[in-house]
Amino acid sequence: MHWSTITLLFLFGGIACHLWWRSRYKQQAKVIECLRRDHDQLKKERNEIRKEVDSQQNALFDSMVEGVLLLDGKGFIKHANQAILTLFNLDTESVLGRTIMESLRLHELESMLNFLEHKNQIMGAEVKVPGQEDSQLEVNAVSIKDNNGVHTGFIMVFHDLTRIRKLENTRREFVANASHELRTPLSMIKGYVETLLDGAKDDPQAIKRFLPTIAKHTDRLTHVVEDLLSLSRLESERDTLELSDVNLSDIFAEISDELAPKATNQKIDIYNQLDTALSLQADEARLRQVFFNLLENAVKYSGEGRQVTVSGKQIREGFLEICVADNGNGIPLHALDRIFERFYRVDKSRSRESGDTGLGLAIVKHIIQLHGGTVWCESTMGEGAKFYFTINANLETTKPDSPEG
Ligand code: ADP
């Protein structure tokens, strides 16, 4: 064969090989490109799924009433839900990436985490929010482990017990006060009855002296029990107001007639400045009790020769404001918020001696709350006391906020 033919054959062979390799290379490059695109797509989808899971987890944590903290294995905070930020009055920046000590300043919890790191148990503690002495939080914490049992972080859940503890205290105080109020007249009655049984029953003079005292303490006992029953009914029968058209001026006239003997006795004048047209939808019997308690207090506490005035006005669409004012001795500033508490009296000895129960204003507060209103007192010592209450005049259904007091 001629050299030139051989050379040509090689040349064509070479070109054919090159073209074959090139097309193969291009195919492979295409495959690699496809794989890379798939990989990127997968990575993107995985990131999106992770983001979705994270946001669902955050939404779940943020919707929880309990505070939740997630910490990494070294004790740095990775996640804090909205409830914990609100509880401690913090923002995300002051919490994320910090330790418990740095962010919440609670060394009890820091020691709890140190202890839990090597344990497989849930641990609980009660702490207070720094600077808020009346707060009470229950904290439960646990160490998170991976599949091999290696510690990877912590989860802490905070329950706010402040309100429950306050209610427990209120209940405890109430039971103690109620027992005290009942025990005092009971022990007086018991004492007098025993004295009579021990022989005084044969002495007509002693009987004359003792029986009225026994009757007085029995009345006092009856008053306390009746007022306690009123309060308990007001707390339990929240939706049972018997509404009807009530004219305030008419109620006032009836109550001031009832109190006239006491007022005359004390030389106290009672003035009616209520518009005769002032009427509303209310539970008449209960509203009468409000007027009675406030007017009776004004007569009882203002002192001889004073004046008591009742006035009222519409303050906004459908709401009335009523004021029972006297120009008596007044109420000291420190007692103004407390007089609506059950059994609170400014002058304890005087009040008990006169047979008052200390429950009158608590009953007023509950009734007004049931009527969708509020009650408060303004007073300057030596100038008198003004009791105000607002009331929803067009009440249809009653949806009270939980009355306490
Ligand atoms: P009480 O049965 O002792 O009257 P209340 O709940 O009606 O109980 O009143 C609580 C306390 O508020 C009273 O003991 C009294 O010290 C004070 N108070 C109420 N109304 C007046 C008033 N108009 N002027 C002065 N003090 C008052």
Side-chain angles (χ1 to χ4, degrees):
M1 222 187 297
H2 199 270
W3 273 112
S4 58
T5 315
I6 292 170
T7 313
L8 269 175
L9 274 176
F10 266 114
L11 199 64
F12 282 130
I15 290 170
C17 270
H18 173 74
L19 288 174
W20 181 76
W21 274 114
R22 231 176 91 158
S23 92
R24 214 181 130 84
Y25 175 78
K26 271 189 180 164
Q27 263 177 3
Q28 279 188 348
K30 251 190 206 160
V31 171
I32 290 170
E33 179 57 28
C34 269
L35 282 174
R36 197 172 29 233
R37 250 190 270 135
D38 284 355
H39 177 258
D40 287 351
Q41 182 64 21
L42 276 175
K43 207 167 146 189
K44 205 171 143 198
E45 279 173 13
R46 210 181 53 201
N47 281 344
E48 269 164 19
I49 290 172
R50 187 175 291 157
K51 261 192 209 156
E52 175 84 17
V53 170
D54 278 355
S55 79
Q56 277 178 1
Q57 184 184 303
N58 289 350
L60 178 77
F61 282 152
D62 284 343
S63 68
M64 286 173 70
V65 187
E66 291 84 10
V68 178
L69 275 185
L70 294 179
L71 296 97
D72 66 16
K74 291 188 176 137
F76 291 106
I77 297 170
K78 281 199 308 186
H79 183 81
N81 74 346
Q82 193 49 51
I84 198 115
L85 299 178
T86 313
L87 265 178
F88 285 86
N89 199 17
L90 294 168
D91 53 21
T92 324
E93 287 72 44
S94 51
V95 173
L96 290 191
R98 294 172 195 258
T99 63
I100 288 281
M101 248 337 259
E102 287 166 348
S103 53
L104 308 188
R105 290 176 285 128
L106 288 169
H107 62 88
E108 305 95 303
L109 298 187
E110 191 82 20
S111 341
M112 188 158 112
L113 295 187
N114 291 339
F115 175 80
L116 274 177
E117 193 173 334
H118 310 290
K119 299 276 188 288
N120 248 341
Q121 69 184 72
I122 298 179
M123 202 174 163
E126 286 204 9
V127 293
K128 292 183 189 306
V129 177
Q132 293 178 30
E133 269 317 297
D134 57 348
S135 63
Q136 193 70 44
L137 306 179
E138 183 191 42
V139 189
N140 285 301
V142 68
S143 144
I144 308 167
K145 308 265 192 289
D146 66 11
N147 292 341
N148 304 317
V150 177
H151 162 78
T152 55
F154 302 95
I155 180 159
M156 305 183 89
V157 181
F158 294 67
H159 299 262
D160 189 355
L161 303 181
T162 313
R163 199 177 128 75
I164 294 175
R165 285 289 140 85
K166 269 192 192 152
L167 282 177
E168 281 171 3
N169 280 344
T170 311
R171 296 266 168 243
R172 241 195 315 271
E173 265 173 37
F174 173 69
V175 171
N177 284 334
S179 316
H180 181 74
E181 294 298 328
L182 296 175
R183 210 174 42 219
T184 314
L186 268 178
S187 60
M188 299 295 270
I189 294 169
K190 189 166 179 275
Y192 283 111
V193 170
E194 278 171 1
T195 316
L196 286 171
L197 289 175
D198 282 349
K201 65 180 185 306
D202 302 319
D203 175 359
Q205 289 305 319
I207 293 184
K208 250 193 186 166
R209 266 190 295 124
F210 290 175
L211 285 186
T213 317
I214 291 174
K216 188 179 113 188
H217 288 292
T218 314
D219 281 349
R220 185 171 157 201
L221 211 53
T222 314
H223 273 143
V224 176
V225 173
E226 274 172 359
D227 278 358
L228 281 174
L229 284 174
S230 285
L231 265 178
S232 132
R233 270 197 298 269
L234 285 168
E235 281 181 336
S236 54
E237 298 171 20
R238 291 191 181 176
D239 294 330
T240 57
L241 286 184
E242 286 180 26
L243 300 178
S244 62
D245 271 336
V246 179
N247 182 287
L248 288 180
S249 194
D250 290 351
I251 292 192
F252 170 84
E254 284 172 36
I255 304 292
S256 63
D257 279 354
E258 249 179 86
L259 289 170
K262 273 189 192 172
T264 316
N265 207 16
Q266 295 266 36
K267 300 186 182 65
I268 288 175
D269 295 318
I270 304 179
Y271 297 103
N272 180 9
Q273 288 182 354
L274 287 167
D275 186 339
T276 47
L278 218 50
S279 65
L280 72 159
Q281 281 288 302
D283 186 316
E284 186 169 345
R286 285 176 169 159
L287 206 53
R288 187 174 284 141
Q289 191 164 11
V290 169
F291 268 92
F292 185 88
N293 290 5
L294 292 179
L295 275 167
E296 193 197 30
N297 277 352
V299 171
K300 265 190 318 196
Y301 297 111
S302 56
E304 239 182 55
R306 311 290 183 153
Q307 280 94 45
V308 179
T309 312
V310 182
S311 56
K313 60 181 179 193
Q314 180 164 335
I315 44 165
R316 62 192 142 95
E317 187 55 37
F319 269 83
L320 303 179
E321 184 184 278
I322 313 297
C323 175
V324 178
D326 64 64
N327 59 353
N329 303 320
I331 299 170
L333 191 62
H334 68 86
L336 281 182
D337 283 341
R338 302 207 59 195
I339 48 175
F340 296 96
E341 288 172 16
R342 290 175 285 200
F343 298 118
Y344 184 84
R345 298 151 170 124
V346 178
D347 181 348
K348 287 168 190 58
S349 52
R350 184 214 126 134
S351 227
R352 287 220 183 90
E353 197 42 47
S354 57
D356 304 320
T357 62
L359 294 169
L361 289 177
I363 292 175
V364 166
K365 182 178 154 187
H366 275 76
I367 296 177
I368 294 302
Q369 282 179 336
L370 278 175
H371 282 84
T374 46
V375 59
W376 71 97
C377 176
E378 291 172 9
S379 176
T380 308
M381 283 305 279
E383 289 181 19
K386 285 182 180 160
F387 283 86
Y388 292 91
F389 65 88
T390 59
I391 195 157
N392 182 353
N394 303 322
L395 213 59
E396 281 170 19
T397 47
T398 321
K399 294 187 193 85
D401 296 333
S402 61
E404 285 160 24

